[in-house]
Amino acid sequence: MRHHLSETSGPQRLIYGLLAGLASAALPLPLVWQFRGLLGWSVGVAVYLALAWWLCERFDAQRTRERAQAQDEPSVVLFFLMLLASMACVAAIVVVMQQGKDYSGTERSMHIALSVVALIASWLFIQTIFAFRYAHRYYQEARRNEPGGPGLQFPGGLDPDYFDFLYYAHVVGMTSQVSDVQVTSREMRRLTLVHSVLSFGFNMLVLALSINVVAGALQ
């Protein structure tokens, strides 16, 4: 079982996360539905991230190549549904934070804390989804011998493993630009553009929510 959990596929991680999220949201706690939704989302994403990073930690470059070509590439529809789910979570956070103005003391602190946790989980979820997407695209282009190469050129010249793609995705997510990794194909540039624009909008929303929290705390 431990071996299975450390080598889950993309759909399996989503199913485990969904089950954990639904179980958390269904707990007999005196919570409003928005609060339950954020709790379930946070737990579900945490399970997904734990399984994804566990897999990345165990896979070297060779196993990453085999895995990225065969699995862990969700359909285009499922891929965009994940991103839409993250945006829906952000909308729920805004609603809960607005409702938090009606509470005080411990209840208000819990609303804000859960909003922050859900926001962080959503951001990490998006970067991890893109990391697996980059890995699949990289080895797909390498297999087809595209003119621009596999699409990304990592420093050192070694074949990348999953953590290299996690590094690239998180750098783009934090800065909306590339760093020491060069983009060498048109398809990878398009994917990086979508990722950077989405991350820029998400980061601006984080900043706006942070200002809202500080302003609310000073009132």
Side-chain angles (χ1 to χ4, degrees), residues 167-182:
Y167 162 75
Y168 179 74
H170 282 75
V171 168
V172 174
M174 287 184 285
T175 65
S176 295
Q177 64 180 0
V178 299
S179 57
D180 55 341
V181 180
Q182 296 184 13

Side-chain angles (χ1 to χ4, degrees), residues 34-76:
Q34 293 95 336
F35 200 88
R36 287 181 178 275
L38 282 184
L39 178 62
W41 171 262
S42 299
V43 172
V45 171
V47 170
Y48 176 91
L49 291 174
L51 293 174
W53 282 68
W54 191 5
L55 180 143
C56 294
E57 191 275 331
R58 288 179 56 88
F59 275 51
D60 57 14
Q62 179 59 35
R63 297 186 72 189
T64 297
R65 174 190 291 272
E66 297 171 356
R67 187 65 166 229
Q69 292 185 45
Q71 300 184 45
D72 293 323
E73 209 303 89
S75 67
V76 174

Side-chain angles (χ1 to χ4, degrees), residues 129-190:
I129 289 295
F130 269 103
F132 281 101
R133 182 75 171 183
Y134 284 127
H136 177 82
R137 174 64 63 182
Y138 178 93
Y139 284 114
Q140 186 180 57
E141 293 187 12
R143 182 176 57 185
R144 295 186 307 198
N145 294 319
E146 295 288 343
L152 295 174
Q153 184 176 342
F154 291 88
L158 299 176
D159 289 336
D161 59 15
Y162 274 128
F163 266 106
D164 290 311
F165 295 108
L166 283 172
Y167 162 75
Y168 179 74
H170 282 75
V171 168
V172 174
M174 287 184 285
T175 65
S176 295
Q177 64 180 0
V178 299
S179 57
D180 55 341
V181 180
Q182 296 184 13
V183 184
T184 61
S185 74
R186 179 175 297 173
E187 290 298 322
M188 200 67 79
R189 280 193 292 271
R190 291 175 178 173

